[in-house]
Amino acid sequence: MPASRSGKRRGQSNPDVTRRKKEAWVASGGPQRAKERLKKITTRDEPTSYPGDLIGVRSGIKVRKIIAANYPGVNAATLPNVTPTGRYFVPLPAGMAPCPGHPPYLAMRFDCIVNEATQQRLLNAWTHLNTTPVVFPKPNARHGNRSGTPALHLGVWETYQSTPFVTLDTRQKDASAATAIDALLSIVGEDIAPRLMRLLKVECPVQYERQLLAYDRVKSLLQSEFECRPALDFQGAFFAVAVKEGSSEIIHLDFHDFKHSITWIVPLGDWEGGEFCIPQLGIKIPVHAGQVLGAMTGVFAHCSAPVTQGYRVILTLFSENCLVKHGTA
């Protein structure tokens, strides 16, 4: 890169100039103005009670029976939409003293997290993956309780084990499928994971520190796997990615997610419908392309409204229960 007359390379910032600009911005009230702008685009929707009527339930059938009994007539069609744009937060009910380690929010949505270029790269990577001999898991009762379309569960978890391991869906026998999976996960890790980690640090600092503790353990135990396949390393923001087309239309709990962690939902494509439905809170949250939704999907029942038009791919970024527990014990 050619140097300018000052001897600096073009595009290289001057630390002294940057420092003076920051000091001037702070002195002029810049941080307060930024807070006021954020406040204008932020909605806080405080629930009247905590959605704890499913704590301890471990059956999808029982989840649906309880929801049907406790919230009769409540479904994707009858739930009201919350505001479709801006930052949206569902905090804990007023006066509630949460147990240690509980996130301050039940759900939170953010705008402009995944730019259009990244969205397109992810869609292209997903399309390419489906041209390979990739093997999807066979339908079973657990997956059938959520959706009619199959999902790949990629990355690392520790389900019913004492140490973390790479998921079976990630360990494809076909080399071209494995390479395509790594290409997809690399985009997630490079373009999305750092942004979500920053959000977690600001909004849920306890969860942020817990993710780092779990990450230290996972990285030490799976060092060789991460060296061979660096795309599996999400720097602790989450440890696994579920990816599928369409939506999960059947009400369910994510039993394998760590209950006090934040699971992230990242939609891609051009579609109508597919809102995130929470009957226990009486709301339906639109999540559009570019937005991300963080939610305690292991605590409250949820589903997606049907996608009525267009094409949607959904990424669910999560941390499995045993993996986080063993990493922070």
Side-chain angles (χ1 to χ4, degrees):
M1 181 182 292
S4 64
R5 292 180 180 178
S6 65
K8 289 199 308 118
R9 292 182 178 276
R10 289 192 181 97
Q12 185 179 12
S13 62
N14 185 311
D16 291 333
V17 172
T18 301
R19 177 180 52 80
R20 288 196 297 269
K21 285 182 177 179
K22 183 176 181 180
E23 290 173 351
W25 178 73
V26 171
S28 67
Q32 184 59 36
R33 291 195 302 273
K35 288 182 180 179
E36 291 172 357
R37 284 196 296 269
L38 274 181
K39 188 175 180 180
K40 289 180 180 179
I41 63 168
T42 300
T43 300
R44 293 174 65 89
D45 198 354
E46 188 176 291
T48 57
S49 62
Y50 185 80
D53 42 355
L54 295 173
I55 292 177
V57 175
R58 298 293 296 174
S59 161
I61 293 174
K62 192 171 182 179
V63 165
R64 289 186 284 280
K65 284 183 177 180
I66 293 173
I67 292 298
N70 294 356
Y71 308 91
V74 176
N75 54 52
T78 60
L79 286 170
N81 271 333
V82 303
T83 179
T85 59
R87 290 157 44 101
Y88 178 79
F89 292 85
V90 181
L92 295 178
M96 177 183 173
C99 60
H102 193 294
Y105 303 104
L106 297 168
M108 49 188 180
R109 186 194 63 207
F110 300 91
D111 283 347
C112 305
I113 301 300
V114 186
N115 62 42
E116 291 185 6
T118 297
Q119 294 173 45
Q120 192 57 56
R121 289 175 63 210
L122 287 166
L123 286 170
N124 291 345
W126 174 247
T127 298
H128 174 65
L129 174 57
N130 280 278
T131 67
T132 71
V134 61
V135 177
F136 283 81
K138 293 181 180 180
N140 59 37
R142 179 168 61 86
H143 293 114
N145 282 338
R146 299 187 181 189
S147 172
T149 54
L152 290 173
H153 290 79
L154 309 173
V156 172
W157 59 20
E158 200 165 326
T159 310
Y160 305 125
Q161 302 294 323
S162 59
T163 56
F165 59 93
V166 177
T167 71
L168 180 62
D169 290 351
T170 312
R171 293 181 278 116
Q172 297 280 328
K173 292 182 179 180
D174 182 84
S176 64
T179 299
I181 285 171
D182 284 0
L184 175 70
L185 296 182
S186 291
I187 302 169
V188 174
E190 293 167 6
D191 292 3
I192 299 179
R195 293 174 179 241
L196 298 186
M197 204 58 169
R198 287 194 292 270
L199 289 176
L200 202 63
K201 185 177 183 180
V202 171
E203 305 295 348
C204 304
V206 172
Q207 283 64 48
Y208 170 80
E209 294 295 337
R210 188 163 54 206
Q211 291 292 122
L212 290 179
L213 286 174
Y215 174 63
D216 286 343
R217 173 175 174 268
V218 168
K219 192 170 183 180
S220 67
L221 293 174
L222 296 182
Q223 182 178 356
S224 60
E225 286 85 346
F226 280 11
E227 288 175 353
C228 292
R229 300 183 71 176
L232 302 178
D233 186 351
F234 304 115
Q235 303 295 313
F238 44 85
F239 296 94
V241 178
V243 55
K244 58 169 291 172
E245 296 177 2
S247 60
S248 298
E249 309 89 356
I250 301 173
I251 195 79
H252 65 277
L253 272 178
D254 291 341
F255 296 119
H256 292 296
D257 292 8
F258 184 68
K259 283 187 169 44
H260 289 171
S261 67
I262 297 295
T263 294
W264 301 96
I265 292 91
V266 182
L268 307 166
D270 183 11
W271 73 94
E272 293 182 10
E275 298 88 352
F276 189 81
C277 304
I278 313 174
Q280 290 158 281
L281 299 178
I283 57 174
K284 183 166 59 178
I285 306 175
V287 190
H288 301 301
Q291 296 177 323
V292 299
L293 175 71
M296 295 184 65
T297 57
V299 169
F300 52 72
H302 56 280
C303 66
S304 292
V307 174
T308 56
Q309 185 175 327
Y311 174 72
R312 185 176 85 150
V313 174
I314 197 84
L315 305 178
T316 303
L317 318 175
F318 65 99
S319 299
E320 187 269 332
N321 182 47
C322 293
L323 184 150
V324 179
K325 278 187 175 181
H326 294 162
T328 56

